[in-house]
Amino acid sequence: MEANDGNDHLYIPQVTDDRKPKIGMEFTSLEEAFSCYNQYAREAGFSARINSSKKNKMTNEIIWKTFVCFKQGHTDDKRNKQRKDDTRERVRGEVRTGCKAMISVVKKQTGSNWVVATFVDSHNHPLSTPSKVHLLRSHRHVSTAKKTLTQQFSEANVPTCQQMRLLEIEYGGPELVGCTEKDIRNYERDLREEEKGIDAETLIELFASEKEKNSGFFYEYETDSDNKFSRCFWADHVSRRAYSVFGDVVVFDTTYNTNKYGLIFAPFVGVNHHHQTTVFGCGFLSDEKAESFVWLLNKFIEAMPNGAPKVIITDQDPAMTKAIAQVLPQTLHRYCLWHIMSKFPEKLGPLTFHDNYQNINNVIKKSTTPDEFENSWHEVIKSANLEKNDWLSLMYELRQKWVPAYFNHVFCAGMSSSQRSESSNAFFKRYISNKNSLMDFITRFNRALRHQRHNELIADHIDMNEHPRTKTIWPMETQMVKLYTRKKWLEFQSEMSESHGYYVKQLSIGVDCTVYHVMKFESHSSSKPRVLTHDNQKDYISCSCKKFEFDGIPCRHMLAYFRINQVFHLSDKYILKRWTQDAKVGVIYDLEAPNYSDDPERYLMLRHSKLSYKASLLIDDASLTDEGTNFLDEQFDCIYKKIQAINISKKGNDGSQRNKSTQGTPVIIDPSLVRTKGCGKRLKSAKEQSTSKSRLCHGCGHRGVSHDKRNCPLLQGSSVETYHNSNDDTYEEDLPSMAGSNNM
């Protein structure tokens, strides 16, 4: 039969008599009747569709129904004229040919059965071969299981084309999937249409449903004067529990392009005992005003146990700074060091930056006390002739919020910037895009969050079952390898190894404290020693490097002191529980586990996976012999009819509950498109456009066609005039800007 694929008009289907409908055949329902006719249509090579019906005028009950070939009838002339006038005409040919093939069923006067009254099996068009019949309309169907599966694929950011490839692999080929890629795209389009106008309300209903499942779920939202969704905050029970253990340091940042409305995504994150990112809560904002940040921070504190964090790290944003000062007055607010350092090339000018940045960087990062920083800062700024640089003056006024010397005595979990939040945002953007609705966003975000939390489980599993190797027989190393998580143990082991390169020299002895200098064996005489202070009353060691206070891990200088003084075990006062394997043990704050027994999609996929596994085992064994194949094929037909009868009897009781807000006018209106900072692009002049095409010299910062850092005359000390004579004029035009490059 497959030999005629190229000549469909010669193909004659071989349908046995027992598969054909017959006049007088009875069915228990219209659905069963259509299913029987559609199955016959598949074997015969055509597509069936429902055509017309008649109702009892007294009871308004259907008493007669007709199912026809999909080529029955002709396209209406009026419709043809509309197509010709429509400039957006679809590229699709005529399908209907006036085919007379059909079947009609009549309801019996006694009972509820339906009887075949008419059956016509002749067609006036070629019939499809078995290799093409799966492309006909009535034989394509996106099942409920496939709908749920494709939605899960979408949540993982799998494109529709790749979803289809995966389904083809699972089912054994495109002809066995039961639908086409276009059918899946149409289903996704219908879902988007369903969400229009009710997106925000559906999101709030989802939050309310999560709250019902688990009282530990927290959410709040607000609408504007027009009842449009404007902002919200949410945190599940896992995030709130994580905050009770790891909420001492919080990184707060905002990010864009996560949804089609342009709402600003604002996550609160921190680090767990494996030094992995953990999410404490998230929010959506329609603007970045201080008022919005105040609302969000208040909801965050309301949701989180243990009160406000000790430290919060953000970007240098005035509105955010104002809000934090109002809501978190007792919390140390730090600016992201990395963002500020990245502005130096722009604010100093290329040549000034090239000549002085290293000195400035050393002052910022190597100063251990505020006095040391301030003295060194004035010296380096004066030597670079940058006293009149307004931006540097402003940053000096704000030094307590970003220079490490001012807060290195405060535990910050080793974080000096908001890059923890930025890396988290980058991770989540693998799953989400600016085309997502709010519901799309939350489902994809939850999947990404589950993946992130699973990484913590993997790290816990490794700590439980794998023990890192020690490098020495020092009892302290044996002690700490059993306590620290793998990540922190490797950091501690590195400090322990480095400690062997230091010696300790007693500097002074007092009643209250003893002071030591810790120096490298190979250090120069000009190098600065680290100062260890031993509090004699408390028996406590502190180091001027402040690593223990800032990171929570004893530094190499302290470990050198312990080794020389034969301290074999690390005291509990130097061990932070949050870095140990038992960090989450004994947490008082606890919440009930969620109850997902009412989640229909989750249980649908569980049932589907269970049956798929058993069916694959049957097929693998039965396909080994012809007898097994024929037997299983017959059993499948029998089972299929019984399953259809079960589904028909339950139809109407298992309707989709995806959108409860589809009836009536939505209470919460979807947000308007938000224009965030930097969303617009400035139009460039013709000169700027031509200049941008030239090469940028990373040495002096100017542009030229054949000018780069390798042959820059200013870096090589050659004459500017000599350079101008041999190159284009672009460099000469930009040269005057050097005079003012030190200013803002």
Side-chain angles (χ1 to χ4, degrees):
M1 292 186 357
E2 295 298 322
N4 293 326
D5 274 1
N7 301 281
D8 284 359
H9 61 285
L10 300 177
Y11 174 68
I12 301 175
Q14 303 295 324
V15 183
T16 58
D17 290 339
D18 62 324
R19 311 288 278 187
K20 287 185 179 181
K22 297 178 179 64
I23 295 177
M25 183 180 290
E26 293 191 12
F27 302 100
T28 58
S29 65
L30 287 175
E31 289 81 4
E32 183 185 356
F34 180 76
S35 176
C36 177
Y37 186 64
N38 193 48
Q39 183 59 36
Y40 159 72
R42 182 181 182 89
E43 297 182 16
F46 68 97
S47 177
R49 62 181 173 86
I50 300 172
N51 186 34
S52 58
S53 60
K54 288 183 180 179
K55 293 184 178 181
N56 187 314
K57 294 181 179 180
M58 300 294 294
T59 62
N60 203 34
E61 182 184 16
I62 296 176
I63 58 173
W64 180 79
K65 196 80 171 180
T66 304
F67 309 121
V68 299
C69 172
F70 76 121
K71 288 181 176 287
Q72 179 268 347
H74 296 278
T75 305
D76 188 26
D77 292 337
K78 183 178 180 181
R79 190 173 178 184
N80 276 333
K81 186 176 184 302
Q82 289 176 346
R83 285 183 179 179
K84 292 178 181 178
D85 296 338
D86 191 355
T87 57
R88 299 172 299 171
E89 180 181 353
R90 295 172 62 184
V91 184
R92 183 182 180 186
E94 296 293 335
V95 174
R96 301 193 180 188
T97 62
C99 182
K100 302 296 184 181
M102 54 84 72
I103 185 176
S104 64
V105 292
V106 179
K107 191 170 185 180
K108 297 180 68 175
Q109 294 182 353
T110 58
S112 59
N113 284 2
W114 296 77
V115 181
V116 176
T118 311
F119 173 60
V120 179
D121 63 348
S122 59
H123 299 263
N124 66 352
H125 56 86
L127 298 174
S128 293
T129 60
S131 63
K132 300 184 183 71
V133 73
H134 68 281
L135 300 173
L136 296 173
R137 180 74 61 84
S138 67
H139 309 309
R140 304 196 321 257
H141 173 61
V142 184
S143 65
T144 305
K146 289 191 185 73
K147 289 177 181 178
T148 303
L149 186 60
T150 54
Q151 282 182 261
Q152 292 179 341
F153 282 149
S154 297
E155 291 169 18
N157 246 15
V158 179
T160 307
C161 58
Q162 293 184 17
Q163 294 180 25
M164 194 63 194
R165 302 295 87 80
L166 292 171
L167 291 174
E168 290 173 7
I169 293 171
E170 179 181 356
Y171 287 94
E175 68 279 2
L176 301 176
V177 173
C179 62
T180 63
E181 182 179 329
K182 184 178 179 181
D183 295 328
I184 296 176
R185 292 188 184 277
N186 289 342
Y187 167 67
E188 292 173 344
R189 175 205 61 201
D190 294 340
L191 284 182
R192 290 193 296 271
E193 289 296 321
E194 288 179 8
E195 290 173 350
K196 281 186 178 179
I198 60 168
D199 193 16
E201 185 163 1
T202 308
L203 175 69
I204 300 305
E205 287 181 354
L206 174 66
F207 286 164
S209 174
E210 292 296 321
K211 180 74 173 178
E212 290 178 4
K213 294 174 185 175
N214 182 3
S215 61
F217 187 89
F218 180 94
Y219 76 98
E220 287 286 348
Y221 71 97
E222 276 195 356
T223 58
D224 60 16
S225 57
D226 296 325
N227 212 30
K228 288 184 178 180
F229 179 86
S230 60
R231 54 199 179 199
C232 74
F233 172 82
W234 74 95
D236 65 8
H237 73 289
V238 179
S239 294
R240 298 172 72 188
R241 183 183 295 135
Y243 182 87
S244 67
V245 183
F246 308 115
D248 41 11
V249 184
V250 172
V251 182
F252 177 50
D253 191 19
T254 56
T255 187
Y256 314 106
N257 298 322
T258 61
N259 57 89
K260 66 181 182 181
Y261 306 103
L263 290 173
I264 302 152
F265 179 52
F268 295 85
V269 304
V271 291
N272 62 14
H273 52 323
H274 302 290
H275 221 271
Q276 298 170 329
T277 300
T278 184
V279 177
F280 299 138
C282 302
F284 272 134
L285 299 174
S286 57
D287 60 64
E288 293 180 280
K289 298 178 181 178
E291 176 192 355
S292 296
F293 286 129
V294 167
W295 181 90
L296 188 63
L297 288 168
N298 277 321
K299 296 306 172 186
F300 173 71
I301 298 303
E302 182 182 343
M304 296 299 120
N306 301 346
K310 296 177 181 177
V311 178
I312 187 167
I313 305 173
T314 71
D315 288 344
Q316 185 187 352
D317 184 89
M320 205 178 287
T321 302
K322 181 180 178 182
I324 290 173
Q326 179 178 334
V327 181
L328 306 173
Q330 303 302 319
T331 298
L332 174 64
H333 179 201
R334 285 180 42 208
Y335 289 153
C336 170
L337 180 61
W338 181 85
H339 276 100
I340 292 175
M341 299 300 290
S342 66
K343 294 179 182 178
F344 272 82
E346 173 191 353
K347 301 299 183 180
L348 298 186
L351 290 180
T352 306
F353 172 79
H354 179 270
D355 294 337
N356 300 283
Y357 176 74
Q358 191 59 49
N359 293 332
I360 296 175
N361 184 64
N362 289 338
V363 169
I364 293 170
K365 294 186 177 179
K366 293 186 178 181
S367 297
T368 56
T369 64
D371 290 339
E372 181 185 352
F373 167 76
E374 291 170 8
N375 294 331
S376 302
W377 176 269
H378 290 307
E379 289 178 9
V380 73
I381 295 301
K382 185 177 181 180
S383 65
N385 295 321
L386 293 172
E387 297 97 325
K388 295 183 180 180
N389 187 297
D390 295 337
W391 183 77
L392 287 177
S393 300
L394 173 63
M395 297 315 300
Y396 182 74
E397 292 176 7
L398 299 173
R399 61 191 181 278
Q400 294 183 351
K401 287 191 176 295
W402 64 277
V403 177
Y406 288 89
F407 46 76
N408 57 11
H409 62 287
V410 179
F411 178 72
C412 295
M415 294 185 289
S416 60
S417 72
S418 63
Q419 282 188 297
R420 175 68 57 173
S421 179
E422 302 230 0
S423 63
S424 177
N425 294 341
F427 168 77
F428 287 122
K429 284 188 176 181
R430 299 179 203 166
Y431 294 81
I432 55 182
S433 72
N434 57 2
K435 296 181 181 179
N436 293 147
S437 65
L438 296 179
M439 283 300 297
D440 285 337
F441 172 89
I442 200 67
T443 51
R444 295 183 180 209
F445 172 80
N446 286 340
R447 181 168 290 275
L449 194 60
R450 288 194 293 271
H451 177 78
Q452 188 183 78
R453 289 168 177 171
H454 189 256
N455 289 337
E456 182 177 344
L457 291 178
I458 293 174
D460 287 338
H461 169 77
I462 291 174
D463 283 342
M464 181 181 296
N465 296 282
E466 297 181 16
H467 301 286
R469 294 180 179 178
T470 57
K471 295 182 179 179
T472 69
I473 58 173
W474 190 12
M476 186 181 293
E477 187 176 12
T478 306
Q479 171 198 6
M480 299 314 298
V481 74
K482 299 175 182 178
L483 294 179
Y484 279 139
T485 60
R486 184 183 184 87
K487 173 72 176 178
K488 303 314 291 185
W489 157 251
L490 293 175
E491 185 180 337
F492 176 81
Q493 190 179 48
S494 175
E495 293 294 318
M496 184 173 288
S497 298
E498 291 292 335
S499 71
H500 292 277
Y502 290 81
Y503 67 92
V504 180
K505 179 181 179 182
Q506 190 178 59
L507 188 65
S508 64
I509 302 176
V511 177
D512 297 326
C513 65
T514 305
V515 180
Y516 302 88
H517 274 180
V518 182
M519 296 283 290
K520 265 190 174 183
F521 287 114
E522 300 177 356
S523 62
H524 302 288
S525 58
S526 59
S527 62
K528 183 173 61 176
R530 294 296 183 181
V531 180
L532 281 180
T533 304
H534 180 222
D535 188 319
N536 298 329
Q537 301 296 326
K538 299 180 180 178
D539 190 23
Y540 182 82
I541 283 286
S542 62
C543 180
S544 60
C545 75
K546 302 296 182 183
K547 178 176 176 62
F548 176 67
E549 289 80 2
F550 189 80
D551 291 354
I553 293 289
C555 65
R556 60 194 65 179
H557 317 108
M558 296 170 63
L559 294 174
Y561 171 84
F562 293 146
R563 188 187 69 255
I564 293 171
N565 287 274
Q566 297 186 349
V567 177
F568 299 131
H569 291 86
L570 195 62
S571 173
D572 291 344
K573 63 185 121 189
Y574 303 114
I575 302 173
L576 266 67
K577 185 180 178 182
R578 67 142 21 245
W579 293 138
T580 67
Q581 299 177 28
D582 296 333
K584 295 181 289 185
V585 175
V587 179
I588 298 175
Y589 178 81
D590 199 7
L591 293 164
E592 61 186 84
N595 176 20
Y596 291 110
S597 59
D598 297 328
D599 190 342
E601 289 189 353
R602 177 173 180 174
Y603 281 92
L604 171 63
M605 292 313 300
L606 287 174
R607 294 193 300 266
H608 186 271
S609 298
K610 179 181 179 180
L611 294 176
S612 295
Y613 174 71
K614 289 189 174 182
S616 65
L617 293 179
L618 281 173
I619 293 169
D620 288 344
D621 291 341
S623 60
L624 296 176
T625 61
D626 290 337
E627 293 82 357
T629 301
N630 294 332
F631 173 76
L632 186 59
D633 187 38
E634 293 174 0
Q635 294 301 313
F636 274 154
D637 288 341
C638 180
I639 294 171
Y640 181 68
K641 291 179 181 179
K642 292 182 178 180
I643 294 298
Q644 276 190 317
I646 293 173
N647 289 340
I648 290 171
S649 65
K650 291 184 174 293
K651 187 176 180 181
N653 298 326
D654 300 324
S656 175
Q657 300 296 321
R658 176 178 172 83
N659 290 321
K660 299 179 182 179
S661 304
T662 52
Q663 298 179 356
T665 305
V667 177
I668 306 170
I669 303 173
D670 289 350
S672 302
L673 184 63
V674 175
R675 289 185 62 82
T676 55
K677 295 178 181 179
C679 62
K681 293 185 178 180
R682 182 177 63 86
L683 296 177
K684 294 183 178 181
S685 64
K687 178 182 176 182
E688 287 179 298
Q689 292 177 5
S690 62
T691 302
S692 64
K693 296 179 182 178
S694 59
R695 182 181 295 176
L696 173 67
C697 173
H698 293 284
C700 67
H702 295 281
R703 294 183 179 273
V705 175
S706 59
H707 174 205
D708 58 26
K709 189 175 181 179
R710 294 171 296 179
N711 55 26
C712 177
L714 295 184
L715 295 181
Q716 295 176 359
S718 59
S719 170
V720 177
E721 287 79 5
T722 303
Y723 175 77
H724 288 170
N725 292 334
S726 60
N727 289 280
D728 63 290
D729 295 331
T730 305
Y731 180 82
E732 186 174 1
E733 291 174 357
D734 289 340
L735 190 61
S737 65
M738 290 294 297
S741 63
N742 289 344
N743 300 323
M744 290 186 70

